[in-house]
Amino acid sequence: MTVAGRRDVGRTILVIEEEPYYLWAALSARVDRGTAYVRSSTPDQLRAVWTGCRPWPWLVVGATRSLPEGLPQLLGGHPIPVYWHGPAPAGLPGRPRSFGDWQQLVSALEGLRDLSVNGVRLLRNRGLVAPDGGFATGVPEIEGLLAAPEDGLAAVLDVDRVRRQLEINHLPLDVASEDGWVRLVAR
Amino acid sequence: MGEARGQVRAPCQALVLEDDPEQMATITRAMREVHLEALPCRTPDQALNKLVFYQPVLAVLDLDMSLAPDHSSSVDDVLLRLYQYFGGCFVLVYSVRSDDILERKKVEAVHPLAMFVSKQDGVDQLVDRIRRLMGVRFGDLVVRQGMTFHEPSGDVYPHRIGVSLILGATLNQEVVLDDTDAKAARRMKAWLDRVGSSVRIVDHGRRCYALHVVDQSDRWANGGRAMA
């Protein structure tokens, strides 16, 4: 058997929290695996678990009072929407969506299954479905942008490369970039 | 003409790691009922040894090995081996601790895709789960007698990889294959074309594969657990 070990599980929501892991348990039960796998990390485990979410987590959900060490560096310029239960800790880049009520947070993420921008939808586990039914795979930047809030994400992207991916995969979308904020728009 | 005709076909296998002989007997009987060859193991050492020689499509693991004979490896070692190297094997953790969030978190850290059945619900729940898994339907394909059937034509794809891919699709898990199994997946792709199936194999790269129903690629199994 010529096998390198499995390195990831597909599109992932990474939940960072301490015991008793109630948010991870709730999201695991409510977000179906076709939308994303829900993985759990304590702040101490963050770097190790992050490496199992290749190329990076689709979404990050936090529930800690203080900023997990290394999280801003791991988020870097990747297009990763960030959700937080409670006030987002200082030092978190971008505009994380904060929820005082964890059940509202869970409901918001549960609705991601129905994401659609100009007819482009999530493909089960990873990738996208074009309006013509074609599959686009290997497009994690676009998957992240698809899940971005309306005002976009603070991300450092090679916009030309993303536009080429959109074109090659017949995705009727374009990238709008302004002041470091990036979002998908209908084309 | 069914693919299986004229071929000697080895049954799909299921690894069972259970230290209680009574439970083991019930589980292996359930495996036989659904045409799976059980690979019974009373210790993690035995399970790791079986994994050197066999490639199961299903694994049932008890977390508590207190009744097991002497052993040096742990259930975590088995979970890790299954996660890393057996991407076509679906894992059911069958334990009295299955309902405990902290226990699930520990398992998730080792095998993020493992599913749970509580021993407190009784062995019948597990048997029912195994039966449902081995009778799943995806598009015009169905798993029956441990094989993949194309229902409209009655044609059969005999390789275990067909079963793994259908289980993956119904459980909303992609399947990671080694080089040999990837060849079998390519043969299955040709078979799907030949029988005119509505199901397509999507290669996600890095040896990750998934099935999708043409024109229904945005519809997937609801809940990941409830379906099978």
Side-chain angles (χ1 to χ4, degrees):
Chain A
M1 190 164 58
T2 53
V3 193
R6 183 199 281 256
R7 296 162 81 183
D8 67 277
V9 290
R11 199 163 39 229
T12 305
I13 295 174
L14 177 58
V15 182
I16 309 166
E17 65 180 335
E18 302 277 11
E19 280 190 40
Y21 314 120
Y22 67 93
L23 199 50
W24 167 71
L27 285 170
S28 298
R30 299 265 296 270
V31 176
D32 68 75
R33 289 181 167 187
T35 303
Y37 298 93
V38 183
R39 295 214 56 186
S40 165
S41 172
T42 62
D44 290 344
Q45 297 167 330
L46 181 57
R47 284 182 189 279
V49 178
W50 190 283
T51 60
C53 308
R54 288 173 185 265
W56 49 74
W58 181 49
L59 300 177
V60 167
V61 179
T64 59
R65 286 175 188 274
S66 57
L67 185 66
E69 190 182 335
L71 180 58
Q73 292 76 24
L74 290 168
L75 288 168
H78 301 310
I80 305 173
V82 177
Y83 290 70
W84 218 265
H85 176 219
L92 205 53
R95 297 177 198 145
R97 289 186 68 187
S98 292
F99 291 79
D101 180 344
W102 68 270
Q103 296 194 55
Q104 284 179 356
L105 192 162
V106 171
S107 295
L109 296 183
E110 199 177 22
L112 290 170
R113 177 189 170 123
D114 300 321
L115 267 179
S116 176
V117 179
N118 207 25
V120 177
R121 308 176 310 277
L122 296 173
L123 182 60
R124 174 161 34 85
N125 297 139
R126 68 175 91 205
L128 298 168
V129 186
D132 65 4
F135 302 144
T137 59
V139 288
E141 291 98 341
I142 303 172
E143 288 176 62
L145 289 171
L146 197 77
E150 270 184 24
D151 50 358
L153 288 173
V156 182
L157 287 182
D158 180 343
V159 171
D160 289 338
R161 195 173 77 85
V162 174
R163 284 192 173 127
R164 277 197 301 278
Q165 286 181 332
L166 291 168
E167 194 172 347
I168 289 167
N169 290 292
H170 308 290
L171 302 174
L173 300 171
D174 195 6
V175 183
S177 177
E178 196 175 348
D179 298 332
W181 290 87
V182 188
R183 63 193 171 94
L184 289 176
V185 292
R187 174 163 57 88
Chain B
M1 173 76 75
E3 283 248 339
R5 287 176 205 168
Q7 295 180 24
V8 177
R9 180 192 152 268
C12 287
Q13 287 141 353
L15 185 80
V16 185
L17 174 56
E18 171 58 73
D19 61 342
D20 180 336
E22 265 186 47
Q23 300 260 352
M24 174 70 88
T26 307
I27 298 167
T28 53
R29 197 164 49 242
M31 295 297 186
R32 279 197 298 274
E33 275 177 30
V34 293
H35 300 268
L36 289 175
E37 178 189 355
L39 306 172
C41 312
R42 283 200 66 200
T43 69
D45 295 349
Q46 289 174 7
L48 290 171
N49 192 42
K50 293 277 190 205
L51 291 175
V52 174
F53 300 104
Y54 299 98
Q55 291 198 295
V57 296
L58 192 64
V60 175
L61 309 181
D62 181 7
L63 295 179
D64 179 3
M65 288 286 112
S66 57
L67 298 178
D70 285 349
H71 53 279
S72 55
S73 304
S74 66
V75 180
D76 276 1
D77 294 331
V78 181
L79 280 166
L80 187 61
R81 183 73 57 86
L82 286 167
Y83 175 66
Q84 290 194 321
Y85 298 106
F86 293 83
C89 179
F90 298 86
V91 174
L92 288 171
V93 170
Y94 177 57
S95 166
V96 286
R97 294 178 273 160
S98 282
D99 290 332
D100 181 340
I101 289 179
L102 294 181
E103 202 59 45
R104 286 190 179 218
K105 157 81 176 159
K106 281 184 202 161
V107 171
E108 190 267 349
V110 184
H111 196 310
L113 305 174
M115 300 167 286
F116 295 85
V117 178
S118 174
K119 275 196 174 180
Q120 295 181 39
D121 294 335
V123 73
D124 289 348
Q125 283 291 321
L126 176 68
V127 169
D128 183 53
R129 188 74 177 267
I130 293 166
R131 283 194 188 122
R132 278 186 289 147
L133 278 171
M134 296 313 295
V136 289
R137 184 181 297 274
F138 186 75
D140 53 13
L141 303 180
V142 63
V143 173
R144 205 185 302 141
Q145 297 172 10
M147 292 187 287
T148 304
F149 282 76
H150 177 244
E151 276 208 313
S153 66
D155 227 62
V156 179
Y157 186 72
H159 197 283
R160 65 182 152 70
I161 219 61
V163 174
S164 287
L165 284 165
I166 295 176
L167 286 178
T170 54
L171 294 168
N172 286 324
Q173 297 183 22
E174 60 185 13
V175 173
V176 183
L177 303 176
D178 64 28
D179 293 345
T180 306
D181 285 347
K183 285 179 191 160
R186 286 193 285 277
R187 286 200 301 277
M188 184 175 172
K189 184 172 184 294
W191 175 76
L192 291 171
D193 290 343
R194 186 166 59 73
V195 299
S197 173
S198 61
V199 175
R200 276 176 59 183
I201 297 180
V202 175
D203 178 353
H204 285 287
R206 293 174 299 175
R207 300 177 292 108
C208 298
Y209 296 84
L211 296 184
H212 294 279
V213 179
V214 175
D215 298 331
Q216 293 184 21
S217 46
D218 58 332
R219 293 177 209 167
W220 55 69
N222 187 18
R225 291 171 194 77
M227 186 76 181

Short mmCIF file of all heavy atoms in Angstrom, two decimals, chain A residues 75-117:
data_model
loop_
_atom_site.label_atom_id
_atom_site.label_comp_id
_atom_site.label_asym_id
_atom_site.label_seq_id
_atom_site.Cartn_x
_atom_site.Cartn_y
_atom_site.Cartn_z
N LEU A 75 -4.40 33.16 10.89
CA LEU A 75 -5.41 33.72 9.97
C LEU A 75 -4.72 34.44 8.82
O LEU A 75 -5.14 34.33 7.68
CB LEU A 75 -6.33 34.70 10.72
CG LEU A 75 -7.32 34.09 11.71
CD1 LEU A 75 -7.94 35.18 12.59
CD2 LEU A 75 -8.42 33.33 10.97
N GLY A 76 -3.64 35.14 9.15
CA GLY A 76 -2.84 35.83 8.14
C GLY A 76 -3.72 36.59 7.17
O GLY A 76 -4.65 37.29 7.57
N GLY A 77 -3.45 36.44 5.88
CA GLY A 77 -4.26 37.12 4.88
C GLY A 77 -5.26 36.20 4.23
O GLY A 77 -5.82 36.52 3.18
N HIS A 78 -5.47 35.02 4.84
CA HIS A 78 -6.39 34.06 4.21
C HIS A 78 -7.84 34.55 4.32
O HIS A 78 -8.21 35.17 5.32
CB HIS A 78 -6.28 32.69 4.89
CG HIS A 78 -4.91 32.10 4.85
ND1 HIS A 78 -4.18 32.01 3.69
CD2 HIS A 78 -4.13 31.58 5.82
CE1 HIS A 78 -3.01 31.45 3.95
NE2 HIS A 78 -2.95 31.19 5.24
N PRO A 79 -8.64 34.21 3.33
CA PRO A 79 -10.06 34.62 3.39
C PRO A 79 -10.86 33.69 4.31
O PRO A 79 -11.52 32.77 3.85
CB PRO A 79 -10.51 34.52 1.94
CG PRO A 79 -9.62 33.48 1.34
CD PRO A 79 -8.31 33.54 2.07
N ILE A 80 -10.76 33.93 5.59
CA ILE A 80 -11.43 33.06 6.58
C ILE A 80 -12.40 33.91 7.41
O ILE A 80 -11.96 34.73 8.23
CB ILE A 80 -10.40 32.40 7.53
CG1 ILE A 80 -9.33 31.64 6.73
CG2 ILE A 80 -11.10 31.49 8.52
CD1 ILE A 80 -8.18 31.11 7.58
N PRO A 81 -13.69 33.72 7.24
CA PRO A 81 -14.63 34.43 8.12
C PRO A 81 -14.45 33.98 9.57
O PRO A 81 -14.22 32.80 9.83
CB PRO A 81 -16.01 34.01 7.58
CG PRO A 81 -15.76 33.50 6.20
CD PRO A 81 -14.37 32.93 6.21
N VAL A 82 -14.56 34.93 10.48
CA VAL A 82 -14.38 34.62 11.90
C VAL A 82 -15.66 34.98 12.67
O VAL A 82 -16.19 36.08 12.53
CB VAL A 82 -13.18 35.38 12.49
CG1 VAL A 82 -13.05 35.10 13.99
CG2 VAL A 82 -11.89 35.00 11.77
N TYR A 83 -16.13 34.02 13.45
CA TYR A 83 -17.30 34.23 14.30
C TYR A 83 -16.85 34.09 15.74
O TYR A 83 -15.94 33.31 16.05
CB TYR A 83 -18.37 33.16 14.01
CG TYR A 83 -19.06 33.28 12.68
CD1 TYR A 83 -18.39 33.02 11.49
CD2 TYR A 83 -20.40 33.63 12.60
CE1 TYR A 83 -19.02 33.12 10.26
CE2 TYR A 83 -21.06 33.72 11.37
CZ TYR A 83 -20.36 33.47 10.22
OH TYR A 83 -20.99 33.56 9.01
N TRP A 84 -17.51 34.83 16.63
CA TRP A 84 -17.10 34.75 18.03
C TRP A 84 -18.31 34.73 18.94
O TRP A 84 -19.29 35.43 18.68
CB TRP A 84 -16.20 35.93 18.41
CG TRP A 84 -15.12 35.51 19.35
CD1 TRP A 84 -15.14 35.58 20.70
CD2 TRP A 84 -13.87 34.91 18.98
NE1 TRP A 84 -13.96 35.06 21.21
CE2 TRP A 84 -13.16 34.64 20.18
CE3 TRP A 84 -13.27 34.57 17.78
CZ2 TRP A 84 -11.91 34.06 20.20
CZ3 TRP A 84 -12.02 33.99 17.78
CH2 TRP A 84 -11.35 33.74 18.99
N HIS A 85 -18.24 33.88 19.97
CA HIS A 85 -19.28 33.91 21.00
C HIS A 85 -18.80 34.83 22.11
O HIS A 85 -17.78 34.55 22.75
CB HIS A 85 -19.53 32.50 21.56
CG HIS A 85 -20.51 32.50 22.69
ND1 HIS A 85 -20.37 31.69 23.79
CD2 HIS A 85 -21.63 33.22 22.88
CE1 HIS A 85 -21.37 31.92 24.61
NE2 HIS A 85 -22.15 32.85 24.10
N GLY A 86 -19.54 35.91 22.32
CA GLY A 86 -19.10 36.92 23.28
C GLY A 86 -18.28 37.96 22.55
O GLY A 86 -18.07 37.87 21.34
N PRO A 87 -17.78 38.94 23.29
CA PRO A 87 -17.01 40.00 22.66
C PRO A 87 -15.73 39.43 22.03
O PRO A 87 -15.03 38.64 22.67
CB PRO A 87 -16.66 40.94 23.82
CG PRO A 87 -17.45 40.48 24.98
CD PRO A 87 -17.91 39.09 24.75
N ALA A 88 -15.47 39.82 20.80
CA ALA A 88 -14.25 39.34 20.14
C ALA A 88 -13.05 39.95 20.86
O ALA A 88 -13.03 41.15 21.14
CB ALA A 88 -14.25 39.74 18.68
N PRO A 89 -12.05 39.15 21.18
CA PRO A 89 -10.90 39.69 21.90
C PRO A 89 -10.12 40.70 21.07
O PRO A 89 -10.08 40.59 19.85
CB PRO A 89 -10.05 38.45 22.20
CG PRO A 89 -10.63 37.33 21.43
CD PRO A 89 -11.97 37.71 20.92
N ALA A 90 -9.52 41.63 21.76
CA ALA A 90 -8.71 42.64 21.07
C ALA A 90 -7.56 41.94 20.35
O ALA A 90 -7.02 40.94 20.82
CB ALA A 90 -8.16 43.63 22.10
N GLY A 91 -7.24 42.48 19.19
CA GLY A 91 -6.11 41.93 18.43
C GLY A 91 -6.53 40.97 17.35
O GLY A 91 -5.70 40.53 16.55
N LEU A 92 -7.83 40.66 17.28
CA LEU A 92 -8.32 39.77 16.23
C LEU A 92 -8.46 40.58 14.94
O LEU A 92 -9.11 41.61 14.95
CB LEU A 92 -9.68 39.21 16.67
CG LEU A 92 -10.15 37.87 16.11
CD1 LEU A 92 -9.12 36.78 16.31
CD2 LEU A 92 -11.46 37.49 16.78
N PRO A 93 -7.85 40.14 13.87
CA PRO A 93 -7.91 40.94 12.64
C PRO A 93 -9.30 40.90 11.99
O PRO A 93 -10.10 40.01 12.27
CB PRO A 93 -6.87 40.27 11.74
CG PRO A 93 -6.72 38.89 12.25
CD PRO A 93 -7.04 38.93 13.70
N GLY A 94 -9.55 41.85 11.11
CA GLY A 94 -10.82 41.90 10.37
C GLY A 94 -11.97 42.33 11.25
O GLY A 94 -11.80 42.99 12.27
N ARG A 95 -13.15 41.95 10.81
CA ARG A 95 -14.36 42.30 11.56
C ARG A 95 -15.09 41.02 11.92
O ARG A 95 -16.04 40.62 11.25
CB ARG A 95 -15.28 43.17 10.71
CG ARG A 95 -14.70 44.50 10.32
CD ARG A 95 -15.69 45.23 9.42
NE ARG A 95 -15.05 46.30 8.69
CZ ARG A 95 -15.36 46.65 7.45
NH1 ARG A 95 -16.30 46.01 6.79
NH2 ARG A 95 -14.73 47.65 6.85
N PRO A 96 -14.65 40.36 12.98
CA PRO A 96 -15.33 39.12 13.37
C PRO A 96 -16.78 39.39 13.73
O PRO A 96 -17.10 40.45 14.27
CB PRO A 96 -14.54 38.64 14.58
CG PRO A 96 -13.71 39.78 15.01
CD PRO A 96 -13.55 40.72 13.87
N ARG A 97 -17.63 38.44 13.41
CA ARG A 97 -19.05 38.58 13.78
C ARG A 97 -19.23 38.03 15.20
O ARG A 97 -18.95 36.87 15.46
CB ARG A 97 -19.94 37.80 12.82
CG ARG A 97 -20.02 38.41 11.45
CD ARG A 97 -21.03 37.68 10.58
NE ARG A 97 -22.40 37.88 11.06
CZ ARG A 97 -23.45 37.23 10.55
NH1 ARG A 97 -23.29 36.34 9.59
NH2 ARG A 97 -24.67 37.46 11.01
N SER A 98 -19.67 38.90 16.08
CA SER A 98 -19.82 38.49 17.49
C SER A 98 -21.28 38.21 17.81
O SER A 98 -22.17 38.91 17.34
CB SER A 98 -19.33 39.60 18.42
OG SER A 98 -17.95 39.74 18.29
N PHE A 99 -21.49 37.19 18.61
CA PHE A 99 -22.84 36.82 19.04
C PHE A 99 -22.84 36.70 20.56
O PHE A 99 -22.05 35.94 21.12
CB PHE A 99 -23.26 35.48 18.44
CG PHE A 99 -23.49 35.51 16.96
CD1 PHE A 99 -22.41 35.45 16.09
CD2 PHE A 99 -24.76 35.58 16.43
CE1 PHE A 99 -22.60 35.48 14.71
CE2 PHE A 99 -24.96 35.61 15.06
CZ PHE A 99 -23.88 35.56 14.20
N GLY A 100 -23.74 37.43 21.20
CA GLY A 100 -23.88 37.29 22.65
C GLY A 100 -24.54 35.97 23.02
O GLY A 100 -24.28 35.39 24.07
N ASP A 101 -25.42 35.52 22.14
CA ASP A 101 -26.19 34.30 22.39
C ASP A 101 -25.62 33.18 21.52
O ASP A 101 -25.63 33.28 20.28
CB ASP A 101 -27.66 34.58 22.02
CG ASP A 101 -28.55 33.36 22.23
OD1 ASP A 101 -28.01 32.24 22.37
OD2 ASP A 101 -29.78 33.54 22.24
N TRP A 102 -25.12 32.13 22.14
CA TRP A 102 -24.46 31.08 21.36
C TRP A 102 -25.44 30.35 20.44
O TRP A 102 -25.07 29.85 19.37
CB TRP A 102 -23.71 30.10 22.26
CG TRP A 102 -24.56 29.23 23.13
CD1 TRP A 102 -24.98 29.51 24.40
CD2 TRP A 102 -25.11 27.94 22.82
NE1 TRP A 102 -25.74 28.49 24.89
CE2 TRP A 102 -25.84 27.51 23.94
CE3 TRP A 102 -25.04 27.12 21.70
CZ2 TRP A 102 -26.51 26.29 23.98
CZ3 TRP A 102 -25.71 25.90 21.73
CH2 TRP A 102 -26.44 25.50 22.85
N GLN A 103 -26.71 30.35 20.84
CA GLN A 103 -27.69 29.66 19.98
C GLN A 103 -27.90 30.42 18.67
O GLN A 103 -28.14 29.81 17.62
CB GLN A 103 -29.00 29.48 20.73
CG GLN A 103 -28.81 28.56 21.93
CD GLN A 103 -30.12 28.08 22.50
OE1 GLN A 103 -30.93 27.52 21.79
NE2 GLN A 103 -30.32 28.32 23.78
N GLN A 104 -27.81 31.76 18.74
CA GLN A 104 -27.91 32.54 17.50
C GLN A 104 -26.71 32.27 16.61
O GLN A 104 -26.81 32.20 15.38
CB GLN A 104 -27.99 34.03 17.82
CG GLN A 104 -29.36 34.44 18.34
CD GLN A 104 -29.42 35.92 18.67
OE1 GLN A 104 -28.43 36.63 18.59
NE2 GLN A 104 -30.59 36.37 19.09
N LEU A 105 -25.55 32.13 17.24
CA LEU A 105 -24.34 31.81 16.48
C LEU A 105 -24.51 30.46 15.76
O LEU A 105 -24.22 30.33 14.57
CB LEU A 105 -23.14 31.79 17.42
CG LEU A 105 -21.74 31.76 16.81
CD1 LEU A 105 -20.71 32.18 17.86
CD2 LEU A 105 -21.35 30.42 16.25
N VAL A 106 -24.98 29.49 16.51
CA VAL A 106 -25.18 28.15 15.92
C VAL A 106 -26.18 28.23 14.78
O VAL A 106 -25.97 27.65 13.71
CB VAL A 106 -25.64 27.15 17.01
CG1 VAL A 106 -26.05 25.82 16.38
CG2 VAL A 106 -24.52 26.92 18.03
N SER A 107 -27.25 28.98 14.96
CA SER A 107 -28.26 29.11 13.90
C SER A 107 -27.66 29.75 12.65
O SER A 107 -27.96 29.35 11.53
CB SER A 107 -29.45 29.95 14.38
OG SER A 107 -30.10 29.29 15.42
N ALA A 108 -26.82 30.77 12.88
CA ALA A 108 -26.20 31.46 11.73
C ALA A 108 -25.34 30.49 10.93
O ALA A 108 -25.35 30.48 9.69
CB ALA A 108 -25.35 32.64 12.22
N LEU A 109 -24.61 29.65 11.63
CA LEU A 109 -23.72 28.71 10.93
C LEU A 109 -24.51 27.56 10.31
O LEU A 109 -24.14 27.05 9.25
CB LEU A 109 -22.65 28.17 11.88
CG LEU A 109 -21.68 29.23 12.41
CD1 LEU A 109 -20.62 28.59 13.28
CD2 LEU A 109 -21.01 29.98 11.28
N GLU A 110 -25.59 27.19 10.94
CA GLU A 110 -26.43 26.13 10.40
C GLU A 110 -26.97 26.53 9.03
O GLU A 110 -27.14 25.69 8.15
CB GLU A 110 -27.59 25.88 11.37
CG GLU A 110 -28.29 24.56 11.20
CD GLU A 110 -29.38 24.41 12.26
OE1 GLU A 110 -29.87 25.41 12.82
OE2 GLU A 110 -29.73 23.27 12.54
N GLY A 111 -27.19 27.83 8.85
CA GLY A 111 -27.74 28.32 7.59
C GLY A 111 -26.74 28.36 6.45
O GLY A 111 -27.11 28.62 5.31
N LEU A 112 -25.47 28.10 6.74
CA LEU A 112 -24.45 28.18 5.69
C LEU A 112 -24.66 27.14 4.60
O LEU A 112 -24.19 27.30 3.49
CB LEU A 112 -23.06 27.99 6.31
CG LEU A 112 -22.57 29.14 7.19
CD1 LEU A 112 -21.30 28.74 7.92
CD2 LEU A 112 -22.33 30.39 6.36
N ARG A 113 -25.36 26.09 4.93
CA ARG A 113 -25.62 25.04 3.94
C ARG A 113 -26.30 25.61 2.69
O ARG A 113 -26.09 25.13 1.58
CB ARG A 113 -26.52 23.98 4.59
CG ARG A 113 -26.91 22.88 3.66
CD ARG A 113 -27.98 22.00 4.31
NE ARG A 113 -28.53 21.10 3.33
CZ ARG A 113 -28.53 19.77 3.44
NH1 ARG A 113 -28.04 19.21 4.50
NH2 ARG A 113 -29.03 19.02 2.51
N ASP A 114 -27.11 26.65 2.90
CA ASP A 114 -27.88 27.20 1.78
C ASP A 114 -27.19 28.37 1.10
O ASP A 114 -27.80 29.09 0.31
CB ASP A 114 -29.27 27.64 2.29
CG ASP A 114 -30.03 26.48 2.89
OD1 ASP A 114 -29.94 25.37 2.33
OD2 ASP A 114 -30.69 26.67 3.93
N LEU A 115 -25.90 28.55 1.40
CA LEU A 115 -25.16 29.65 0.79
C LEU A 115 -25.28 29.62 -0.73
O LEU A 115 -25.13 28.58 -1.36
CB LEU A 115 -23.67 29.50 1.11
CG LEU A 115 -23.11 30.19 2.32
CD1 LEU A 115 -21.63 29.85 2.44
CD2 LEU A 115 -23.31 31.68 2.21
N SER A 116 -25.50 30.78 -1.32
CA SER A 116 -25.51 30.87 -2.78
C SER A 116 -25.24 32.31 -3.17
O SER A 116 -25.87 33.23 -2.64
CB SER A 116 -26.86 30.41 -3.31
OG SER A 116 -26.91 30.57 -4.71
N VAL A 117 -24.28 32.51 -4.04
CA VAL A 117 -24.03 33.83 -4.60
C VAL A 117 -24.13 33.70 -6.11
O VAL A 117 -23.34 32.99 -6.72
CB VAL A 117 -22.64 34.38 -4.19
CG1 VAL A 117 -22.40 35.75 -4.81
CG2 VAL A 117 -22.51 34.45 -2.67
#
